[in-house]
Amino acid sequence: MRDWIAVIIAVLGVLLVLAGATLILLRALPARPAPAAGPSLDESDTSDLSPAVPVGARISSAWKEPTAADRLIFWGVILLVLAAIAAGAITFNLGAAGGATPATR
């Protein structure tokens, strides 16, 4: 039973990670070009172009305000870790030994 649970959790985790990556890739793809009858973009018009954002600012903004894709990937990774624990690939050994220590003279 534990193996079935691990497989189901692993499959769900992989699907969440893939869905998040797909969202990121779809957002990165360029938009379809406008119809030919539409207005053309003048070379001198740079009002739509945003300035380059430093990497540190992008990482901090992603941490403060995660997108839907980031949340999907995060929960997918959590499920993959839980699947590894359920399958026995990651084990925790919490134990304590009791008793008296030998007296030193």
Side-chain angles (χ1 to χ4, degrees), residues 52-73:
V53 180
V55 175
R58 283 187 288 174
I59 291 174
S60 66
S61 70
W63 183 257
K64 292 177 187 174
E65 300 171 9
T67 63
D70 295 333
R71 286 190 296 268
L72 281 174
I73 292 173

Side-chain angles (χ1 to χ4, degrees), residues 12-41:
L12 289 175
V14 168
L15 288 176
L16 285 175
V17 170
L18 289 177
T22 303
L23 285 176
I24 290 172
L25 289 176
L26 287 176
R27 194 173 4 148
L29 291 176
R32 291 187 176 197
S40 63
L41 180 63

Side-chain angles (χ1 to χ4, degrees), residues 79-97:
L79 284 178
L80 288 173
V81 169
L82 289 176
I85 292 171
I90 300 175
T91 59
F92 297 102
N93 186 7
L94 300 175

